[in-house]
Amino acid sequence: MPSGLIALLDDVAGIAKLAATSLDDVAGAAGRAGSKAAGVVIDDTAVTPNYVMGLTPDRELPIIWQIAKGSLRNKLLFLLPAALLLSAFAPWLLPPLLMAGGAFLCFEAVEKLIEAMGHGHDVAVEAVQTHSSAELEQQKVSGAIRTDFILSGEIMAIALGTVASEPIWEQAIVLIVVALLITAGVYGVVGLIVKMDDIGLHLAQRQAAAMQALGRGLVKAMPVLMSVLSVVGTAAMLWVGGGLIVHGLHEFHWDLVPGAIHHLAEGAAHALPAIAPAADWIVNAIGGAIVGLVVGGIIVAVLHLFKKH
């Protein structure tokens, strides 16, 4: 009986060690997946603040919370099961789906560029004129969640790619961890960005001269930061969307455009060895953005042509 108990304890200890090793593997995989998706996370962070511009300060954080919940639903209820099913049964479907998502991002970016140049309708102004505040908020939340769906789709696809050879249960856990951490990180930073002016006003009321100066600096910097984020957000939609299309073309062995961009990126990296990784990334981003501009422009032109008819 004692020997049986000792054997049982040994088995339990072995299972515990195995579980600990598995958890370490999952944590490591989640870390690698998150780092590879960092570029898309930055894009997501730059795009989202635009959706709360024009709202009253008291509604900014509630709207961000709604968008964050929608983002988490996108990742856990739709993208996670879809990613696991695609990985198990139809991995060949992933590239065309990502390309379609990329084309949608390119379309939205080109629409924003047209509006910025004054040749389109301003959705925000039109919404204020024709809808109530609640309807305007819902419109902004819906638009943000639609855009987030595409960006989240790429994040989950990148994460899945890092653990594609692992068991399905480990893939699921890694994707859940990545979804939770990235959503919390992105919308936490977005919340800080949109409340920066309020933080500045609070600091400006402090007695310490240094705090007052910092507060005034934050308030003055806020309009500039939001303008920069608006530009970066639109550019991000182009380079992420175009990048998805370029990667999809490469997956289908249509390498004329992907090959040209890769060749230029390699040339830039060799010409600037001190900043080779940055040069490679910049050229790839510019190439993706040009592709995105062309694809988005074609989609906008076709849709406007159909509207006329």
Side-chain angles (χ1 to χ4, degrees):
M1 188 69 177
S3 62
L5 180 58
I6 291 171
L8 177 59
L9 291 175
D10 283 342
D11 290 342
V12 170
I15 292 170
K17 288 179 181 178
L18 182 61
T21 303
S22 297
L23 288 174
D24 286 342
D25 291 343
V26 168
R32 292 193 300 273
S35 64
K36 286 194 174 183
V40 189
V41 172
I42 293 169
D43 300 339
D44 205 355
T45 306
V47 168
T48 306
N50 295 305
Y51 288 97
V52 298
M53 290 180 68
L55 298 176
T56 56
D58 63 303
R59 295 301 303 157
E60 288 172 345
L61 290 182
I63 292 302
I64 291 171
W65 174 237
Q66 288 186 48
I67 298 171
K69 288 191 294 183
S71 175
L72 208 52
R73 282 196 300 270
N74 283 342
K75 293 181 180 75
L76 297 182
L77 298 184
F78 302 109
L79 294 170
L80 172 62
L84 294 176
L85 287 172
L86 285 173
S87 176
F89 301 110
W92 55 270
L93 263 179
L94 193 57
L97 288 175
L98 287 175
M99 291 177 75
F104 174 77
L105 282 180
C106 297
F107 160 71
E108 285 218 326
V110 171
E111 284 272 84
K112 289 179 183 295
L113 287 174
I114 293 172
E115 290 168 12
M117 291 186 294
H119 299 299
H121 62 282
D122 190 320
V123 175
V125 171
E126 182 182 89
V128 169
Q129 292 172 345
T130 59
H131 299 291
S132 68
S133 296
E135 290 172 332
L136 173 60
E137 287 186 4
Q138 189 55 49
Q139 191 176 72
K140 284 179 173 286
V141 169
S142 298
I145 291 174
R146 282 197 303 271
T147 301
D148 173 89
F149 188 87
I150 307 302
L151 294 172
S152 293
E154 189 182 10
I155 289 168
M156 298 296 272
I158 292 170
L160 182 64
T162 65
V163 291
S165 61
E166 304 300 330
I168 193 73
W169 66 267
E170 188 169 325
Q171 293 181 25
I173 293 174
V174 168
L175 292 180
I176 290 170
V177 170
V178 168
L180 292 173
L181 292 181
I182 285 182
T183 302
V186 166
Y187 291 100
V189 171
V190 169
L192 285 175
I193 289 172
V194 301
K195 300 307 290 183
M196 192 172 80
D197 52 350
D198 293 338
I199 295 171
L201 287 172
H202 178 72
L203 291 176
Q205 295 169 358
R206 294 289 186 90
Q207 292 183 348
M211 289 293 100
Q212 290 178 4
L214 177 60
R216 287 193 294 269
L218 288 175
V219 172
K220 289 179 181 178
M222 187 60 185
V224 177
L225 177 61
M226 292 304 290
S227 296
V228 170
L229 285 175
S230 179
V231 172
V232 171
T234 302
M237 293 169 80
L238 282 175
W239 82 57
V240 171
L244 285 169
I245 293 168
V246 170
H247 182 71
L249 291 173
H250 175 69
E251 288 289 319
F252 289 113
H253 305 292
W254 298 339
D255 281 327
L256 179 61
V257 173
I261 294 173
H262 178 70
H263 178 71
L264 289 172
E266 277 193 336
H270 286 306
L272 301 166
I275 54 167
D280 181 88
W281 181 88
I282 289 170
V283 172
N284 275 296
I286 292 173
I290 293 171
V291 171
L293 194 60
V294 172
V295 171
I298 292 171
I299 295 172
V300 168
V302 170
L303 289 177
H304 286 192
L305 186 64
F306 275 108
K307 282 182 181 178
K308 288 181 181 179
H309 296 287

